Structures are given as C-alpha cells and as structure tokens.
Amino acid sequence: EPEVTQTPSHQVTQMGQEVILRCVPISNHLYFYWYRQILGQKVEFLVSFYNNEISEKSEIFDDQFSVERPDGSNFTLKIRSTKLEDSAMYFCASSGGRISNEQFFGPGTRLTVL
Amino acid sequence: AQSVTQLGSHVSVSEGALVLLRCNYSSSVPPYLFWYVQYPNQGLQLLLKYTTGATLVKGINGFEAEFKKSETSFHLTKPSAHMSDAAEYFCAVSVSYGQNFVFGPGTRLSVLP
C-alpha cells in the first residue's frame, strides 16, 4: 500500500540553524501539506501546496518557513533560522484531491531545537 | 472558518466498556469529517471518514461514527474497549477538495484493566 514517508525521523539542531525536513508524498497525489504538533498539543496546519505553488498558509507559516517541491517526488519544509519554539513534530500529508479528500499522513519528523 | 471541539481531553474506560469520544464542529458548508488515532510517538492513522452518503460510517478496529447535521456532531464510538485502543484521538474537518484539515484538540483514551 502506498504511503507517505518522511526523513529524518528525528532532527536535533541548534537555535538559529537552518533545517530541511523531507517528505515523499504518495506518487499520484496532487495536494501536499505540512502540519506541526507541539508536544501535548493539537495538530496545527502550516501550509498547503498545489500545482507547484502555495495554495494556503496559516499565520504560523511566517517568513522563516518555506516549502519546495524540487523534483517530481520530494516535498520539503525549510526553516531558515530555527527558534526554540519550533521544537515540535512535523507531519507531511498528501491527498488525491478530486477523488478523495482523505489526507494521508507521514510518520512525522521530531524536531528538537536546543 | 471551521472549528472543532472535542469534549473531554482525557477519557478513561474499563476494558470491555463502551467507548464514546465526542466531536462537534462548526462549518458554514457541508463538511468532510475525519477521525484519526495517534499512538505514542507515532504518526496519524485514519480511523474513519464521512464525506457524503450514509451518515453512519464504520472504520478500522471496530470504531464507528455518526454524522448528525442537526447537532453538528461526529461522535466516535466502539462497543467494547480493548487495551490496544489506548491512544490519542483527533477529530478533523475539511470543507473542500484539497483544503487543509482543522483538527480538534484531541482526546486521550485510557483503557483500564
């Protein structure tokens, strides 16, 4: 069964450093998303991506964040200068759009900013 | 804008007892509704979804949920709890193809022996 994969599973970084979180969505999906979950809190939407551009973003997704689909398979989230409060679990998701609104989630990347 | 509330941040039931996890949503248009389960240190797994059609939907692991438009609810139930059901459960709403999900705050289910 196709699945969304994410790497790395755990990333530790120093405050102020850049990190790139990687995701491989399900191959025939059209919509891609990033969510985050701060420890013990709910899952929050960051950004959605369709047709090679951002379709929607939340207030969390400020200028420190960017997304990219550099090739036909990867979908990345970059945090330019990490802050302590960026420590969270980051989930990538993809959906087929027209056929089903179901979003398939990856296993997550746990980001720890020291 | 859509929103989701889940009554009860923590629910405890005995093994074999009925599980009822509450979800209420607000949406100005017909919603798509989802329940996800998250086991410790793992990702989100879809339990079930309502898009259109039958309002009682069955999911994995014996769970089911009923969409009640008049009550703006989508409560999750399971007739008999199992120890393996202990996890965090999230209700989510979306209103159109490709739109992001809005998640509720989650309910942690504990199952007591």
Side-chain angles (χ1 to χ4, degrees):
Chain A
E1 186 175 333
E3 58 182 16
V4 176
T5 59
Q6 291 185 242
T7 54
S9 57
H10 191 186
Q11 174 89 48
V12 181
T13 189
Q14 295 290 324
M15 188 170 57
Q17 294 296 304
E18 174 184 286
V19 294
I20 297 176
L21 310 183
R22 292 183 167 78
C23 169
V24 179
I26 294 173
S27 62
N28 62 346
H29 280 183
L30 305 174
Y31 295 85
F32 313 107
Y33 313 83
W34 283 101
Y35 294 83
R36 80 171 186 191
Q37 182 183 31
I38 295 172
L39 185 64
Q41 298 186 24
K42 70 175 180 180
V43 179
E44 301 173 291
F45 167 70
L46 291 178
V47 64
S48 59
F49 194 85
Y50 172 72
N51 201 26
N52 288 317
E53 61 182 25
I54 291 174
S55 52
E56 194 169 356
K57 60 182 181 179
S58 72
E59 62 274 11
I60 303 169
F61 194 86
D62 62 21
D63 292 344
Q64 294 298 314
F65 291 89
S66 62
V67 290
E68 196 175 39
R69 190 158 159 80
D71 52 43
S73 59
N74 290 284
F75 179 50
T76 63
L77 174 69
K78 181 192 291 187
I79 308 175
R80 191 170 350 138
S81 177
T82 50
K83 303 187 284 282
L84 295 177
E85 53 265 37
D86 293 328
S87 295
M89 181 74 92
Y90 289 81
F91 292 106
C92 173
S94 69
S95 73
R98 282 205 161 276
I99 297 176
S100 168
N101 201 37
E102 177 183 347
Q103 293 183 16
F104 293 80
F105 284 79
T109 292
R110 181 172 298 283
L111 176 64
T112 302
V113 182
L114 303 176
Chain B
Q2 301 82 45
S3 67
V4 178
T5 57
Q6 292 181 240
L7 186 63
S9 60
H10 189 192
V11 170
S12 292
V13 300
S14 298
E15 191 174 19
L18 172 72
V19 175
L20 171 60
L21 305 183
R22 300 178 187 275
C23 171
N24 288 89
Y25 68 91
S26 68
S27 173
S28 57
V29 298
Y32 301 103
L33 295 160
F34 305 81
W35 275 100
Y36 282 84
V37 60
Q38 184 181 35
Y39 298 101
N41 299 313
Q42 294 190 27
L44 299 166
Q45 181 182 8
L46 180 70
L47 273 179
L48 48 78
K49 62 183 178 183
Y50 168 79
T51 53
T52 59
T55 57
L56 180 64
V57 293
K58 296 185 184 299
I60 62 171
N61 301 338
F63 284 93
E64 62 183 38
E66 186 171 11
F67 169 57
K68 292 187 176 180
K69 184 179 177 181
S70 61
E71 298 177 9
T72 61
S73 69
F74 191 57
H75 301 331
L76 181 71
T77 60
K78 181 175 179 177
S80 177
H82 191 272
M83 297 296 287
S84 61
D85 295 327
E88 188 92 16
Y89 291 80
F90 293 95
C91 182
V93 64
S94 174
V95 296
S96 65
Y97 295 120
Q99 199 213 26
N100 61 284
F101 284 7
V102 174
F103 283 86
T107 297
R108 182 177 303 278
L109 176 66
S110 297
V111 181
L112 308 174

